[in-house]
Amino acid sequence: MGKKKRTSSRQGPDAASFKKSKTDKTPVKRKGSKETKFTTPTKTEKTSVVASTQKKDLEQYSKEAKESKEQFKPGNEERKGREAKLMIAEKTKRIPLDVTNSMWPFVSEVTLSEDGDTVHLVRNEVNHNTISPSLSNEITNNFLGNPIGANRGDKLHDPTMGTDMKCILTYNEKGINNKGPGKNVEQLRYCSSSLTKVGYGTLRPPIDESYSPDWGDEVLKKEKDKNLSFEKYCVLNSCTDEGLESIAVYNNISDEWEEKKKTFNGEVSMAFKRFEMLKLYAKHRNKRKYHLDPMEGGHRKAGIFQANFCAQLNPEDGSISDCLTFTPDHFLIAGLKPGKDITANHITGAYAAAIDEGTNDKGFFLETTRVDVSYLSDRDVSVPTFLQACRVCSESIAREKRNSATKDVFVECAKCVEEFIGTMSKEALLGNPSLKKFEYGGENKFPKKISAQKDVPKGNFDWKTDRDKICRKLENLPILSSDLFERYAKDPFNKENYSDFLKELEVPRMKKNNKEDDKVLIKPPFVVTYKSMAVHAGLGEKQRATTEMLNKWCLLPRFIHLLLANKKNISLVDAAKDDKVGMTVIYAMRHHVTSHGTLNLSYDACAPWYGLNKGYNMAEGENNVIIAALYLTEIVNAALTTITNNDGVHIGKKKLFNSRTKQLAKQTSDVTMLFSTMNVYANNPGIDTMINQLAWLYMADAELAHDLKNLTKVKLDKVHPGQLVYVHWINCVNESRSMIKQYGLLPEIKSTEDLKMMFPPMYHIYNYLECGVEKDVCLSVAEHFYSKVTSTSKRTLPKQSFYKEKSSLLIHLKLMHAYALRTLKGANPKVAFLRAGIYIGCKAKPKFFRDSLRYRVGDGSENERTLDKFNLFRLATNDVYLTPTATAAHLFETKCAENDKSRESREKYQEIVDMWKSANKGRAYVTMSVRQDKPAKKARTGNGGDDADCGDDEETKALTKTKFRQPMSELGKALDKCYKEHAKNNQHDMLADVLTKYNAIQKMVGFGKLFTGTAIEHQEYDDDAVSEDENSGEGEERNDNIDHADSDSGSEEDSASGSDAENAGEEENASDDSEEDDLSDSDRDEGGSDGNADGTPAGDDNNIGTENKDARNATQTSEPVHDSNSHGESAKDKDDNDVDKAEKEDALTALNKYIDGLKEGEVKRTVMTAEDIELALNLTTRPNLKCKDDRACFCSLKSDDMKLIKELYGGDASEEVQEEIVKKTWISPLVELMRALKWDSSINGLPASSTFKEEKDMLLWNGGVVSEKFMSPME
């Protein structure tokens, strides 16, 4: 009522109403206006408006649209794209050109190696791509007519070069000898998957008075000295003798060709002649100037080059050393399965037939391709700027084609690394950053990982809607709560997000006196120097971030986006819109960047707040991409720790800069080459497999670093535990980086006999993974050798499901080395196993707590040093220890192109292994010592016919204290009887020496009777006490670590955790920190420094382990006195033992009856699953709860008053709690019955990494029986 009737949308609104609607709702910012507010239509509003069709209105709309366009400012990416296309259009001239397929090698830029045998294909970087060997091999197979007989399916294409080739004509008189950089030169690259730069080249003739903007037309059309023009040169037939002669004439190498032909005999093939011509063409680089570099069609050029010589380009340096070298295996990486019975001869035959056709002026090699050729005509445009424009245009063409060519995701990762490291400033290269800007408000430590559900802040939160609440609940660095952080996490390839994020990380440089230099600001990438981690991170009163963290913040989002985009088969643009991808990055950045090693393998209990499913082990499952991406960032950081390796003690600033610049270039090249060839050397197994292998290798390195920490750490060591772990961790990653580059992520074995001899257990794993045989043996090996890893890895490695998919032998090599280190630890504590010398620990807390790693290079305090470079802590090979690098060189096939230096290095490692073999009489490094429930096949070590001990008749098992129970009991009885006989004749002194030695053993193991000066006392310890003592070494070492961290947690020096919560969280995954009981220094010295060849410690004392504490404090031994009432195991002793056993059984029965008699709801027995019990107690063997004996070892309770029960049972009940307990009269009798049981409880007996954290539950277990039945024996 009273409202104006609205115009029908079919007729269109009148001009006035349209203008009003447009003014209110359109997002166009008009000229002169301050700000336009955007309104979001409601669900009931119509979001489309029909414009007026009146001529007057349309003219008005057109005028306003023009004004709006004038005000429009394109985004950064769009602007760059437009400027690049405009430059190519305005600064170049274009000419169509025909090129025969046989001439592509002879219009390319190539160089010859110094030895004259290897031809390298190089290119000016006018294409945004690097070459994917799989794609170029697929193209080569297509060009040669599918000689491998593969069923190509959707990969079937006509064998042509296509019609869309776009090339740049380059003038490059001196090639790689040009001096640069400068406005007229740019670095050349190998035509390969590598990003390595090889020299400098240019694109146009020298700029002088004779320079002509039409130089390209003159080159193409004009004949020089009555010789061919470049246009006619490109259509020669190189498959004929006449064609080769013409190539020699055009390139001024006729004399050289004539000399070469004299070496030919009548049987020389045309294939051989063409390759010899290519080498001459490459050698006399100074006699030619013009080449074609593809801006579009780079893979086709690589494919046609390979087809011309039937040889694959080396994926690292784009080289071939001979022709006719293709085999069917080369095409497997392209996903092409050769037909049955296809051999290399079939490929060679197809190639020879194609060359014969070309010789007869027909066939594929004589066909021509029409190429769109451009050349740089403008004399003022700088060559680097022009090449950048070419790359932008090339990428634009790829987008237009919807990325029809499959890109290698790891090549894209390599590009990210090169872009990132390439921006390092001189100041950042020479100095360290002051990261005071990134102090954590919690002062000493970064937020500890929340592993238990009960520790999660109460509330049902979601990052998308409750970000501020989450940031308040989980206090972290402020930058990880900002809008900029979230934008970068969700779209890291947006240039503005990337540059803004780097700008936010910009900080002052640190001076030599550890003060800030506000005049010089530096931003990532940062060199990860030891000083930046050990000293600068600990300045001030609060915990600071470290250089390695900031580097990871920059790279991790990009790596995760690339991997997930490839995994989901979506573009990076779509990945940026995918909420799941963004949440994955945000969770990883907030909860995993500040940690490393084993700490990163477990989920944070807050993961569901980010929409992630929580699992047991981050290295497996749907979120393992986080661990895989983290491992890639750790590889980059590992490379950046080596920048200072060549620094001298007293070196000038200029020399230091030159030294570090050279090292930075080398490390950048190494990392980009490793990434870009990773897929190739693994034979393109697929993105899922690659992610799995990287995540599992992260887990293996974490376990090895964890064991190295245990191996190095000494008693009363005040070393910063986080720094000690990080140094070992980064060296393990560095070692893996070297091995992946050399042998690939999925290495191949040189000789199974070598593997069988050095690592018999890994040989059985290899047999199952590669050949599908010996499954039972493989699983037995895994159960035994991988049962002492940290609790998170234990959920993965020993399980049968882990071996359903092929896993890299690098993973098992690292884990086997970790096992060897644990085994050798007790017998060889003072062997110099570090490159720098012997680790001696930190006796007194230093000024900077993290700067506490000390070693000795000789005898005397004057030879003690403090660590200042990471690489000094690398494991060294000697007569006792072997490094993974040395054994990998001995076992694995080399996949990368070797130079003299790498060949010498490999030969050196082989010599080291041979020396170790000689010193250890050719025995295995890790022997089979497997406890098996089922008989397994015997395995031969290959060492003189000796049997490996996998299921052998004389099975070698680990020596444990419990194995002394029966022998000591029998020996005690015999000595007692013997003593009685001698005492009758007053000759008991004759046994004094024997009894003294017997007492020494009794003190160590706790079994048998202790002979004292007055009597033979009954000192047989019950199961509980002995089992606790068996594990005391592990518990003591773990508690040592906790005490050190906690005792200094409030100090300044402790404010520098290398990664998140090493101080606070080290114990979370340290349930298996020590496989042997701690020995006193005298015990260790007596053990000697030589181990048995099978990896077990030499000397009985080391095998026995720690002395029992009660026995250690017993009365000093003296001459025993006969007492007939206390000798032997009399009937009374047996009765006492039976009564004790009955009392325990009665206590359990009484406890159960009491609980059953209580009111419902006060307390009740619960039934925990076998799996829950296994995880709660870190058992290595799961109990069978269907078995009465197993079930009788455990008791689980639940009560709403469990807090009161626990406090009373633990003996620390407060007055308030006591008052509450008095009111609840049933609690005290219950606790008394529980104490009478004398079992361990979940109050204080759970392992540090246990998953049993329920507040209302309580678990009790028979400690002695559980340790004996369900825990692996002491090593």
Side-chain angles (χ1 to χ4, degrees):
M1 294 291 294
K3 290 185 179 180
K4 186 176 179 179
K5 186 177 180 180
R6 296 183 65 182
T7 306
S8 169
S9 61
R10 182 173 298 178
Q11 295 175 349
D14 58 24
S17 64
F18 174 73
K19 287 180 180 180
K20 184 178 186 303
S21 172
K22 181 180 62 162
T23 304
D24 292 341
K25 297 180 180 180
T26 54
V28 178
K29 185 177 179 181
R30 296 193 181 188
K31 187 175 182 180
S33 65
K34 294 181 180 179
E35 183 179 359
T36 302
K37 294 184 179 180
F38 297 87
T39 60
T40 304
T42 64
K43 291 183 179 179
T44 56
E45 274 186 301
K46 293 184 178 181
T47 58
S48 61
V49 179
V50 179
S52 171
T53 57
Q54 299 293 326
K55 180 178 180 181
K56 181 179 179 181
D57 292 335
L58 292 176
E59 289 177 350
Q60 178 65 24
Y61 304 157
S62 177
K63 179 180 177 182
E64 291 178 355
K66 289 179 180 178
E67 291 176 355
S68 176
K69 188 175 182 180
E70 291 175 359
Q71 297 297 315
F72 174 73
K73 293 183 178 180
N76 191 45
E77 291 300 299
E78 183 178 352
R79 177 179 55 78
K80 286 184 178 180
R82 289 183 180 184
E83 290 175 353
K85 289 183 178 181
L86 186 64
M87 178 178 289
I88 299 296
E90 294 183 350
K91 307 300 182 182
T92 65
K93 294 187 176 181
R94 301 169 65 181
I95 305 174
L97 181 68
D98 291 331
V99 183
T100 56
N101 290 337
S102 69
M103 283 299 293
W104 279 104
F106 302 102
V107 296
S108 302
E109 173 69 287
V110 290
T111 61
L112 191 68
S113 62
E114 292 182 1
D115 60 13
D117 292 330
T118 304
V119 177
H120 296 267
L121 178 60
V122 296
R123 63 187 175 93
N124 280 285
E125 203 179 1
V126 296
N127 191 299
H128 77 289
N129 268 330
T130 52
I131 302 303
S132 166
S134 60
L135 185 55
S136 59
N137 285 4
E138 178 189 334
I139 293 171
T140 300
N141 180 64
N142 190 49
F143 286 161
L144 294 178
N146 191 20
I148 64 171
N151 182 5
R152 293 177 286 177
D154 59 351
K155 296 186 177 183
L156 181 63
H157 304 286
D158 292 333
T160 66
M161 290 285 285
T163 59
D164 60 343
M165 287 282 289
K166 299 180 186 295
C167 290
I168 299 293
L169 176 65
T170 65
Y171 178 102
N172 205 355
E173 185 173 8
K174 295 181 181 179
I176 62 171
N177 296 320
N178 284 340
K179 293 182 178 180
K183 66 173 292 185
N184 287 314
V185 296
E186 176 75 346
Q187 286 187 303
L188 299 169
R189 293 183 185 272
Y190 289 127
C191 187
S192 65
S193 59
S194 168
L195 297 173
T196 304
K197 300 173 182 178
V198 295
Y200 292 93
T202 187
L203 296 179
R204 62 185 168 210
I207 301 172
D208 52 28
E209 295 179 357
S210 63
Y211 181 82
S212 170
D214 299 321
W215 66 268
D217 287 82
E218 296 173 3
V219 169
L220 290 172
K221 303 293 184 182
K222 185 179 179 180
E223 297 182 359
K224 56 175 184 176
D225 301 328
K226 298 183 180 180
N227 198 352
L228 295 173
S229 64
F230 190 75
E231 184 180 43
K232 292 183 179 179
Y233 170 75
C234 289
V235 293
L236 292 173
N237 181 3
S238 69
C239 296
T240 64
D241 289 321
E242 295 79 8
L244 295 176
E245 293 283 353
S246 298
I247 291 172
V249 171
Y250 184 85
N251 292 288
N252 298 318
I253 53 175
S254 297
D255 294 340
E256 291 81 356
W257 179 240
E258 289 300 322
E259 289 297 320
K260 177 60 66 176
K261 286 196 298 182
K262 292 178 182 179
T263 63
F264 299 159
N265 57 39
E267 300 299 323
V268 172
S269 67
M270 179 55 65
F272 182 77
K273 292 179 182 178
R274 296 178 76 243
F275 189 67
E276 290 300 310
M277 172 56 77
L278 179 68
K279 290 198 286 186
L280 279 179
Y281 172 81
K283 180 179 181 180
H284 297 282
R285 174 64 194 80
N286 58 330
K287 294 187 177 183
R288 53 188 164 83
K289 299 177 182 178
Y290 311 112
H291 311 97
L292 296 178
D293 276 321
M295 188 166 69
E296 170 60 22
H299 282 96
R300 276 172 280 174
K301 180 177 178 180
I304 196 66
F305 193 93
Q306 293 181 154
N308 266 279
F309 301 104
C310 196
Q312 177 173 322
L313 288 167
N314 184 294
E316 287 187 16
D317 58 8
S319 65
I320 57 174
S321 299
D322 208 344
C323 57
L324 310 180
T325 58
F326 259 132
T327 67
D329 289 342
H330 288 117
F331 296 94
L332 285 173
I333 67 173
L336 298 173
K337 185 178 180 180
K340 187 178 180 181
D341 300 329
I342 292 293
T343 66
N345 290 341
H346 292 89
I347 303 172
T348 302
Y351 168 76
I355 292 294
D356 286 341
E357 286 186 335
T359 304
N360 295 315
D361 292 332
K362 60 181 181 181
F364 171 77
F365 285 116
L366 195 64
E367 293 177 1
T368 60
T369 301
R370 176 57 62 94
V371 182
D372 186 4
V373 175
S374 302
Y375 64 91
L376 179 57
S377 59
D378 193 290
R379 61 183 295 164
D380 298 322
V381 176
S382 74
V383 168
T385 302
F386 178 76
L387 287 175
Q388 178 61 34
C390 290
R391 290 192 291 272
V392 172
C393 288
S394 173
E395 192 167 10
S396 176
I397 294 171
R399 283 198 297 268
E400 291 170 5
K401 293 170 62 179
R402 303 298 299 172
N403 293 317
S404 59
T406 303
K407 308 300 179 187
D408 187 333
V409 64
F410 293 98
V411 172
E412 300 304 314
C413 290
K415 291 180 180 178
C416 291
V417 173
E418 186 188 39
E419 178 186 357
F420 178 65
I421 299 181
T423 60
M424 184 179 291
S425 64
K426 179 179 179 180
E427 291 76 14
L429 184 61
L430 292 178
N432 290 311
S434 171
L435 299 181
K436 183 179 179 181
K437 178 180 179 181
F438 303 108
E439 287 183 332
Y440 169 56
E443 297 186 354
N444 307 320
K445 303 166 185 173
F446 282 108
K448 182 179 177 181
K449 185 184 295 297
I450 301 175
S451 57
Q453 192 62 37
K454 71 180 183 66
D455 296 328
V456 177
K458 294 182 179 179
N460 187 18
F461 299 113
D462 187 324
W463 177 270
K464 297 176 186 177
T465 56
D466 307 310
R467 189 184 79 180
D468 293 340
K469 293 180 181 178
I470 291 175
C471 293
R472 287 196 298 270
K473 293 283 185 181
L474 305 177
E475 189 176 6
N476 209 315
L477 291 167
I479 190 174
L480 300 181
S481 307
S482 65
D483 290 335
L484 175 58
F485 155 72
E486 186 165 351
R487 287 203 312 272
Y488 181 63
K490 290 184 174 181
D491 191 2
F493 287 94
N494 180 293
K495 296 292 185 182
E496 292 180 3
N497 290 346
Y498 181 60
S499 60
D500 289 348
F501 190 71
L502 287 182
K503 184 69 176 177
E504 185 66 21
L505 300 181
E506 194 172 53
V507 293
R509 185 177 61 178
M510 189 71 76
K511 295 180 180 179
K512 290 184 178 179
N513 59 358
N514 296 332
K515 301 293 184 181
E516 290 185 352
D517 183 359
D518 294 327
K519 297 180 181 179
V520 180
L521 298 179
I522 55 179
K523 59 184 178 181
F526 296 129
V527 177
V528 185
T529 65
Y530 188 81
K531 189 173 183 180
S532 73
M533 298 284 291
V535 177
H536 296 157
L539 298 174
E541 298 180 354
K542 295 183 179 181
Q543 168 68 63
R544 295 183 180 183
T546 59
T547 49
E548 59 99 21
M549 291 182 197
L550 269 68
N551 289 339
K552 286 195 283 189
W553 280 340
C554 296
L555 287 173
L556 185 63
R558 292 189 150 201
F559 287 161
I560 292 179
H561 274 255
L562 283 168
L563 293 175
L564 285 179
N566 194 275
K567 183 181 175 73
K568 295 184 174 187
N569 196 24
I570 59 177
S571 69
L572 288 174
V573 175
D574 293 332
K577 299 176 182 177
D578 190 325
D579 283 339
K580 185 67 179 291
V581 176
M583 289 298 102
T584 300
V585 175
I586 290 171
Y587 166 75
M589 294 270 276
R590 285 179 57 84
H591 295 277
H592 289 275
V593 165
T594 51
S595 299
H596 57 257
T598 54
L599 290 175
N600 263 337
L601 294 177
S602 58
Y603 280 83
D604 193 288
C606 299
W609 292 2
Y610 303 88
L612 273 64
N613 295 324
K614 187 172 175 288
Y616 287 122
N617 189 342
M618 285 282 290
E620 61 179 353
E622 61 179 337
N623 297 317
N624 65 348
V625 68
I626 294 175
I627 300 299
L630 276 170
Y631 196 61
L632 296 179
T633 64
E634 295 289 6
I635 287 175
V636 178
N637 268 332
L640 291 173
T641 63
T642 68
I643 304 302
T644 61
N645 283 0
N646 299 327
D647 290 359
V649 180
H650 302 290
I651 185 173
K653 188 173 181 179
K654 184 175 181 181
K655 287 185 177 180
L656 180 65
F657 176 68
N658 291 337
S659 172
R660 290 193 178 184
T661 301
K662 185 177 179 180
Q663 182 71 356
L664 181 67
K666 179 183 182 302
Q667 294 303 320
T668 304
S669 174
D670 284 351
V671 174
T672 55
M673 185 177 293
L674 183 152
F675 282 11
S676 56
T677 58
M678 189 181 292
N679 232 339
V680 180
Y681 288 163
N683 291 332
N684 282 43
I687 185 64
D688 290 330
T689 299
M690 293 295 288
I691 290 174
N692 286 342
Q693 302 307 312
L694 287 169
W696 294 341
L697 187 55
Y698 184 106
M699 178 169 57
D701 273 331
E703 292 297 334
L704 179 56
H706 187 72
D707 286 320
L708 280 169
K709 181 265 295 183
N710 291 338
L711 180 63
T712 49
K713 199 170 187 297
V714 297
K715 285 187 175 181
L716 304 178
D717 191 353
K718 295 187 180 296
V719 69
H720 186 286
Q723 186 72 357
L724 180 61
V725 173
Y726 183 76
V727 171
H728 284 310
W729 160 251
I730 207 66
N731 278 318
C732 286
V733 175
N734 237 329
E735 193 168 44
S736 292
R737 174 172 73 102
S738 174
M739 290 192 290
I740 295 172
K741 178 189 172 186
Q742 191 82 3
Y743 315 109
L745 186 58
L746 292 167
E748 297 173 0
I749 292 294
K750 288 181 186 176
S751 166
T752 54
E753 290 302 314
D754 287 341
L755 179 63
K756 187 191 300 184
M757 190 277 292
M758 289 290 292
F759 293 91
M762 194 162 76
Y763 169 74
H764 293 293
I765 293 176
Y766 167 81
N767 263 352
Y768 179 54
L769 295 177
E770 294 290 334
C771 311
V773 298
E774 294 190 327
K775 176 181 178 181
D776 291 340
V777 180
C778 170
L779 297 178
S780 297
V781 167
E783 182 181 359
H784 177 77
F785 286 92
Y786 300 158
S787 62
K788 294 297 182 70
V789 294
T790 55
S791 57
T792 307
S793 300
K794 192 184 297 183
R795 297 187 179 106
T796 300
L797 292 171
K799 307 300 182 183
Q800 182 173 345
S801 57
F802 181 73
Y803 300 89
K804 290 180 180 178
E805 182 177 344
K806 180 179 177 180
S807 50
S808 170
L809 288 179
L810 283 182
I811 297 167
H812 299 286
L813 183 72
K814 285 296 187 84
L815 292 169
M816 288 295 169
H817 272 276
Y819 178 88
L821 292 172
R822 292 198 301 270
T823 306
L824 294 170
K825 172 184 175 182
N828 305 279
K830 295 187 177 180
V831 173
F833 69 97
L834 298 177
R835 288 183 60 184
I838 302 174
Y839 176 76
I840 58 174
C842 183
K843 299 174 183 176
K845 190 173 66 176
K847 179 180 179 182
F848 299 105
F849 185 29
R850 293 186 64 90
D851 195 18
S852 54
L853 274 65
R854 296 184 60 77
Y855 61 94
R856 186 174 64 243
V857 294
D859 295 330
S861 58
E862 69 278 2
N863 289 314
E864 293 183 3
R865 305 281 189 274
T866 300
L867 188 70
D868 59 355
K869 293 177 183 177
F870 290 100
N871 67 322
L872 296 178
F873 242 55
R874 293 183 69 174
L875 191 65
T877 294
N878 50 46
D879 288 349
V880 177
Y881 298 101
L882 281 174
T883 64
T885 305
T887 52
H890 178 66
L891 296 174
F892 298 144
E893 289 280 3
T894 300
K895 293 189 176 182
C896 70
E898 285 196 296
N899 52 32
D900 292 339
K901 186 175 181 180
S902 63
R903 195 175 294 110
E904 289 175 6
S905 177
R906 181 169 53 82
E907 291 172 354
K908 181 191 72 174
Y909 282 125
Q910 185 61 56
E911 291 176 3
I912 289 173
V913 174
D914 290 340
M915 290 172 61
W916 184 91
K917 284 183 181 180
S918 176
N920 290 273
K921 300 180 181 179
R923 295 182 180 176
Y925 189 51
V926 176
T927 59
M928 297 296 296
S929 178
V930 183
R931 181 180 59 195
Q932 297 181 11
D933 298 327
K934 299 178 181 179
K937 298 179 182 179
K938 288 188 178 183
R940 310 292 292 182
T941 62
N943 180 24
D946 292 338
D947 288 338
D949 299 327
C950 183
D952 286 359
D953 296 333
E954 297 180 6
E955 185 182 21
T956 303
K957 292 187 177 181
L959 190 60
T960 63
K961 292 180 184 179
T962 54
K963 293 182 181 179
F964 285 82
R965 183 194 298 270
Q966 184 177 354
M968 289 295 289
S969 177
E970 294 177 355
L971 180 58
K973 293 176 185 178
L975 288 173
D976 184 31
K977 186 176 181 180
C978 188
Y979 178 82
K980 289 178 182 179
E981 294 298 323
H982 283 76
K984 291 177 182 178
N985 301 318
N986 293 322
Q987 295 177 337
H988 48 259
D989 292 349
M990 296 176 63
L991 291 177
D993 184 53
V994 174
L995 293 178
T996 301
K997 292 181 178 178
Y998 169 85
N999 279 346
I1001 299 176
Q1002 194 278 342
K1003 290 179 182 180
M1004 293 181 189
V1005 301
F1007 293 112
K1009 297 171 175 54
L1010 182 64
F1011 286 80
T1012 68
T1014 58
I1016 303 172
E1017 298 182 358
H1018 299 292
Q1019 290 287 338
E1020 278 199 82
Y1021 294 85
D1022 61 33
D1023 290 348
D1024 294 359
V1026 172
S1027 297
E1028 288 171 6
D1029 188 62
E1030 279 186 1
N1031 294 319
S1032 65
E1034 177 180 337
E1036 286 168 13
E1037 179 169 342
R1038 182 167 63 249
N1039 292 335
D1040 264 350
N1041 293 344
I1042 297 171
D1043 291 341
H1044 289 157
D1046 292 343
S1047 63
D1048 299 297
S1049 60
S1051 65
E1052 259 180 38
E1053 292 83 4
D1054 189 31
S1055 64
S1057 173
S1059 288
D1060 184 27
E1062 300 103 279
N1063 298 347
E1066 187 73 29
E1067 64 272 17
E1068 289 184 20
N1069 287 297
S1071 61
D1072 297 286
D1073 273 3
S1074 177
E1075 316 310 329
E1076 299 84 26
D1077 290 349
D1078 289 338
L1079 299 171
S1080 65
D1081 291 339
S1082 60
D1083 291 333
R1084 293 180 184 276
D1085 291 342
E1086 289 171 7
S1089 59
D1090 294 324
N1092 297 328
D1094 63 355
T1096 58
D1100 292 339
D1101 289 349
N1102 285 320
N1103 288 347
I1104 294 170
T1106 311
E1107 297 178 0
N1108 183 278
K1109 292 180 182 178
D1110 295 333
R1112 189 184 301 128
N1113 297 325
T1115 308
Q1116 294 294 322
T1117 58
S1118 60
E1119 181 182 352
V1121 177
H1122 175 65
D1123 185 348
S1124 59
N1125 293 327
S1126 59
H1127 292 170
E1129 189 171 350
S1130 63
K1132 183 178 182 300
D1133 295 329
K1134 292 183 179 179
D1135 291 341
D1136 289 343
N1137 290 337
D1138 291 340
V1139 169
D1140 184 57
K1141 182 177 180 182
E1143 285 179 353
K1144 287 189 177 182
E1145 291 178 352
D1146 290 344
L1148 180 60
T1149 303
L1151 176 63
N1152 290 334
K1153 286 182 179 179
Y1154 183 78
I1155 294 172
D1156 293 340
L1158 291 173
K1159 293 178 182 179
E1160 186 177 351
E1162 288 179 337
V1163 65
K1164 60 182 179 180
R1165 284 183 288 168
T1166 59
V1167 180
M1168 286 184 67
T1169 66
E1171 182 181 8
D1172 290 340
I1173 294 174
E1174 177 189 7
L1175 296 178
L1177 303 182
N1178 277 345
L1179 303 179
T1180 56
T1181 302
R1182 182 176 295 182
N1184 180 9
L1185 297 186
K1186 294 181 180 179
C1187 172
K1188 182 179 179 181
D1189 291 342
D1190 285 15
R1191 192 168 60 250
C1193 297
F1194 307 96
C1195 177
S1196 54
L1197 313 175
K1198 190 177 189 72
S1199 174
D1200 291 336
D1201 295 309
M1202 187 55 71
K1203 183 177 180 181
L1204 301 177
I1205 296 171
K1206 288 181 177 179
E1207 291 199 23
L1208 182 59
Y1209 184 86
D1212 56 353
S1214 62
E1215 291 184 4
E1216 286 185 7
V1217 172
Q1218 291 283 8
E1219 291 177 3
E1220 287 292 322
I1221 291 173
V1222 170
K1223 297 176 184 177
K1224 298 180 183 289
T1225 57
W1226 57 271
I1227 292 182
S1228 292
L1230 173 70
V1231 171
E1232 287 302 317
L1233 287 170
M1234 291 165 62
R1235 286 174 177 166
L1237 192 58
K1238 297 180 181 179
W1239 278 9
D1240 294 327
S1241 75
S1242 56
I1243 294 178
N1244 51 20
L1246 289 173
S1249 55
S1250 172
T1251 59
F1252 183 79
K1253 300 290 184 183
E1254 297 300 328
E1255 293 182 357
K1256 296 183 179 181
D1257 293 341
M1258 185 174 184
L1259 174 65
L1260 297 102
W1261 64 94
N1262 189 338
V1265 178
V1266 168
S1267 295
E1268 188 171 344
K1269 289 185 65 173
F1270 307 113
M1271 298 293 288
S1272 291
M1274 180 182 66
E1275 294 295 327

